[in-house]
């Protein structure tokens, strides 16, 4: 089964969800196709950016992701994301090197060359569920949903059961939204 996963490389909740999906792949026969959904592109038409990115810094990692995907494909995109997202220093060159990719791809951060690709990938993800959501978006065939938004990563069979449940819920005609209590203070 192919799972398309749209992510913003700077979103911490999306990072946690991505690690759950990687864990679920250890107990379910899934292949993850990494897709870019940029909150910068999603929100660029708004007067006030809900992410508070007044300087446009969220474009930088999104552009690098687009350059990685264009040149090296979705598996390389996933490898870059795995190396970049947990970093607190946003050192894209180090993350590219860790992912086995050319560090020169970091130059894409300040180039608008990839902006249309970023917007197009974001639009493809949003088209799956509608404009009222952000990231992450998960899709299997025609079944798609925003989320799940997780505060911790389920492990082993619990990760697989959550994937099963998400697909059942998201595939139910008329399903729209499900939320749990806020995460406990850490």
């Amino acid at each position: 089964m192919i799972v398309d996963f749209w992510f913003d490389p700077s979103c911490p909740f999306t990072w946690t969800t991505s690690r759950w999906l990687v864990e679920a792949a250890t107990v379910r026969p899934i292949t993850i196709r990494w897709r870019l959904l940029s909150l910068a592109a999603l929100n660029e038409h708004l007067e006030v950016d809900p992410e508070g990115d007044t300087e446009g810094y969220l474009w930088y990692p999104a552009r690098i992701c687009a350059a990685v995907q264009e040149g090296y494909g979705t598996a390389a995109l996933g490898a870059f994301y795995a190396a970049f997202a947990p970093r607190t220093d946003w050192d894209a060159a180090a993350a590219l090197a860790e992912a086995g990719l050319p560090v020169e791809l970091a130059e894409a951060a300040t180039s608008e060359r990839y902006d249309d690709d970023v917007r197009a990938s974001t639009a493809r993800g949003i088209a799956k569920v509608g404009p009222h959501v952000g990231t992450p978006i998960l899709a299997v065939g025609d079944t798609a949903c925003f989320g799940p938004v997780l505060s911790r990563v389920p492990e082993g069979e619990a990760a697989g059961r959550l994937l099963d449940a998400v697909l059942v819920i998201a595939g139910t005609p008329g399903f729209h939204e499900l939320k749990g209590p806020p995460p406990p203070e850490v």
Side-chain angles (χ1 to χ4, degrees):
M1 166 175 33
I2 295 174
V3 177
D4 287 302
F5 184 76
W6 278 268
F7 67 92
D8 182 295
S10 61
C11 177
F13 289 111
T14 300
W15 171 247
T16 303
T17 301
S18 78
R19 298 306 88 191
W20 154 71
L21 197 54
V22 168
E23 180 69 16
T26 68
V27 294
R28 296 293 185 272
I30 64 172
T31 299
I32 304 166
R33 280 195 301 208
W34 302 95
R35 308 287 188 191
L36 175 62
L37 192 155
S38 167
L39 293 170
L42 182 66
N43 297 326
E44 71 180 329
H45 69 284
L46 300 176
E47 262 187 58
V48 177
D49 183 345
E51 307 305 319
D53 183 30
T54 58
E55 301 298 318
Y57 293 120
L58 295 182
W59 278 99
Y60 295 175
R63 290 171 176 151
I64 296 168
C65 285
V68 168
Q69 182 162 357
E70 178 184 279
Y72 299 91
T74 61
L77 178 58
F80 171 68
Y81 179 49
F84 178 80
R87 300 184 72 86
T88 56
D89 60 7
W90 276 32
D91 186 339
L96 287 160
E98 182 181 326
L101 294 161
V103 296
E104 295 80 18
L105 289 169
E107 295 169 11
T110 56
S111 170
E112 294 180 5
R113 176 184 182 279
Y114 295 97
D115 289 5
D116 286 343
D117 294 336
V118 171
R119 289 180 185 105
S121 185
T122 297
R124 283 190 294 276
I126 291 298
K128 295 281 186 183
V129 292
H132 63 291
V133 300
T135 178
I137 293 175
L138 182 145
V140 175
D142 291 336
T143 299
C145 65
F146 165 71
V149 176
L150 302 171
S151 60
R152 60 179 72 121
V153 179
E155 296 179 351
E157 187 54 29
R161 285 193 311 271
L162 179 57
L163 177 62
D164 298 340
V166 165
L167 294 176
V168 167
I169 291 168
T172 301
F175 169 73
H176 176 67
E177 186 172 12
L178 176 68
K179 287 187 178 187
E185 296 295 321
V186 180

